[in-house]
Amino acid sequence: MISRKLELLAHPERSTVLVVDDDLLNRSIMVDSLQPHYQVIEAESGEQALLLLHRHKPDLVLLDIVMEGISGVEVCRQIKEDPDEEIATIPVLFVTALDDSRQEQLCWEAGGADFIAKPVNVITLQYRVKAHVTLKRQSDVLRRLANLDGLTGLYNRRYFDEQLQRSVRDQANNQQHWSLIMLDVDHFKNYNDRHGHVIGDECLKEVARLMMSSVRRSQDMVARLGGEEFAILLSGTRLDGAERVARSLLNTIRNTAQLSVDNGKGNELNYPFVTVSMGITEILGNGDLAEEDFLKQADEALYQAKGAGRNRICRYAQGLIEEVGDEPV
Ligand SMILES: [Mg+2]
């Protein structure tokens, strides 16, 4: 996924620019001059702009200030206050005929990145858009790297905490279902002591890879919480769905008997693979529970799975913890 972002960085023409102006002629001039370089979408009002923004998440917005209905300044303010980081970080370039320092100050205060004067100088428009789109691309890559775990390439603890908080809010506000799986590699300290950290790291990477392949939907998220502890956050999923995912992952890991590692001399060396334990819970409350409560539920279930002999799954449901059996045949 990182390489895809870097690839986009090298090909800014695939970036999307949203042009907002209520004047058709102004809009056409800007659209025509940007179209050869970007994917361009256009809006003739602030209302339409906000709609398209959420649908397309463009890399830059060119924004007229004076429009019927929602003004450009207000549109910019809403972009910058959006709880979705992908929206809030979109740079806004105001396109203005105004020679009014008070108005300009309002634009800066609303979070505008820059200005372009009307009538638009096409060359200046192209260079300024290019500069801001490049900056946007670079900061996207950096932000993304800051969310990832260096060893496994999974999301890291910091990002997981944010997403868990968001899903708890989502469940309380929109009745959207979410489930949480916590996973811990069994006896990993012994494994590390016995085979060394290099092999231990390879083993964690393989666990991460198997976890990633067990969830295929982009709205689900796999994270490394630290050490040998991992988590999966499943969107739109009740407890029974989470059980299916966990059971299938447990079996995949059970069936992976060996870890093959290249010793650097072209030889593959085989090491025993590990087993894992999991605790699962559904995120369910009336806004009365915080993300720590769900982490604690999954953690208690995980603890019980460990206590019962590891290499198994326990689930937390309505205050009770019980083992999840194998699939009935
Ligand atoms: Mg206008």
Side-chain angles (χ1 to χ4, degrees):
M1 252 183 268
I2 300 175
S3 62
R4 205 185 89 79
K5 278 280 178 187
L6 288 170
E7 189 192 317
L8 280 171
L9 189 61
H11 297 280
E13 71 271 16
R14 279 185 234 164
S15 303
T16 304
V17 175
L18 171 62
V19 176
V20 190
D21 201 312
D22 58 354
D23 184 291
L24 178 62
L25 182 64
N26 283 337
R27 210 165 64 229
S28 313
I29 294 170
M30 291 191 276
V31 170
D32 289 349
S33 65
L34 296 173
Q35 209 123 50
H37 312 287
Y38 307 95
Q39 193 179 330
V40 183
I41 44 180
E42 46 186 307
E44 57 179 9
S45 69
E47 288 82 352
Q48 199 188 2
L50 289 169
L51 213 76
L52 291 175
L53 263 163
H54 286 93
R55 198 177 302 157
H56 297 277
K57 297 186 177 171
D59 297 290
L60 182 131
V61 182
L62 279 166
L63 192 54
D64 183 22
I65 298 178
V66 183
M67 292 182 291
E68 290 272 329
I70 306 180
S71 75
V73 175
E74 182 52 32
V75 171
C76 183
R77 203 173 286 141
Q78 289 198 27
I79 293 173
K80 295 300 149 185
E81 283 171 2
D82 200 289
D84 183 348
E85 207 181 24
E86 281 186 73
I87 300 280
T89 53
I90 299 171
V92 173
L93 268 64
F94 283 106
V95 185
T96 172
L98 294 172
D99 189 15
D100 177 339
S101 59
R102 170 74 192 133
Q103 186 72 260
E104 275 192 21
Q105 188 186 337
L106 282 176
C107 292
W108 290 124
E109 284 169 2
D114 213 338
F115 288 94
I116 289 172
K118 266 189 218 174
V120 168
N121 174 322
V122 168
I123 300 294
T124 301
L125 174 74
Q126 288 173 339
Y127 274 101
R128 216 162 267 181
V129 166
K130 187 179 173 196
H132 283 282
V133 164
T134 305
L135 278 176
K136 164 70 163 49
R137 285 296 189 195
Q138 289 167 342
S139 67
D140 280 353
V141 172
L142 291 178
R143 201 173 48 246
R144 188 161 164 74
L145 287 175
N147 290 335
L148 297 182
D149 170 56
L151 178 70
T152 61
L154 298 179
Y155 286 110
N156 60 22
R157 178 67 196 243
R158 190 188 71 84
Y159 189 73
F160 170 80
D161 286 343
E162 278 174 27
Q163 294 305 306
L164 179 61
Q165 192 177 16
R166 191 175 291 181
S167 57
V168 170
R169 229 181 303 144
D170 192 31
Q171 189 275 324
N173 297 340
N174 310 327
Q175 307 296 307
Q176 164 83 4
H177 298 292
W178 289 86
S179 287
L180 171 64
I181 302 175
M182 292 259 277
L183 178 150
D184 195 88
V185 178
D186 296 331
H187 298 298
F188 190 66
K189 193 189 171 305
N190 296 347
Y191 190 93
N192 251 341
D193 289 347
R194 177 141 184 214
H195 303 294
H197 284 281
V198 175
I199 303 305
D201 283 355
E202 287 303 317
C203 181
L204 292 179
K205 278 153 79 175
E206 185 62 9
V207 170
R209 198 186 62 76
L210 294 174
M211 289 180 79
M212 277 305 284
S213 61
S214 74
V215 294
R216 290 187 189 84
R217 305 178 309 170
S218 62
Q219 65 268 35
D220 297 330
M221 148 178 194
V222 183
R224 181 179 178 212
L225 303 187
E228 67 273 26
E229 194 171 73
F230 299 84
I232 304 176
L233 203 49
L234 296 163
S235 155
T237 305
R238 308 288 314 236
L239 195 59
D240 57 341
E243 283 177 22
R244 273 197 297 278
V245 172
R247 208 188 273 128
S248 147
L249 178 60
L250 189 76
N251 285 330
T252 305
I253 291 178
R254 277 177 182 167
N255 294 336
T256 309
Q258 285 187 324
L259 174 75
S260 296
V261 182
D262 193 324
N263 71 347
K265 295 169 192 155
N267 298 320
E268 293 254 306
L269 298 181
N270 292 325
Y271 297 88
F273 201 51
V274 287
T275 60
V276 300
S277 301
M278 285 180 256
I280 60 185
T281 192
E282 182 175 342
I283 293 171
L284 210 53
N286 308 311
D288 50 339
L289 294 172
E291 60 269 25
E292 302 88 55
D293 299 312
F294 297 107
L295 264 181
K296 204 165 154 237
Q297 289 174 6
D299 206 38
E300 281 172 12
L302 173 60
Y303 187 77
Q304 191 140 322
K306 292 268 179 191
R310 297 176 169 84
N311 190 15
R312 69 194 67 216
I313 307 160
C314 283
R315 68 159 184 222
Y316 179 104
Q318 290 156 347
L320 289 176
I321 298 175
E322 48 191 18
E323 190 170 332
V324 174
D326 286 338
E327 189 95 64
V329 254

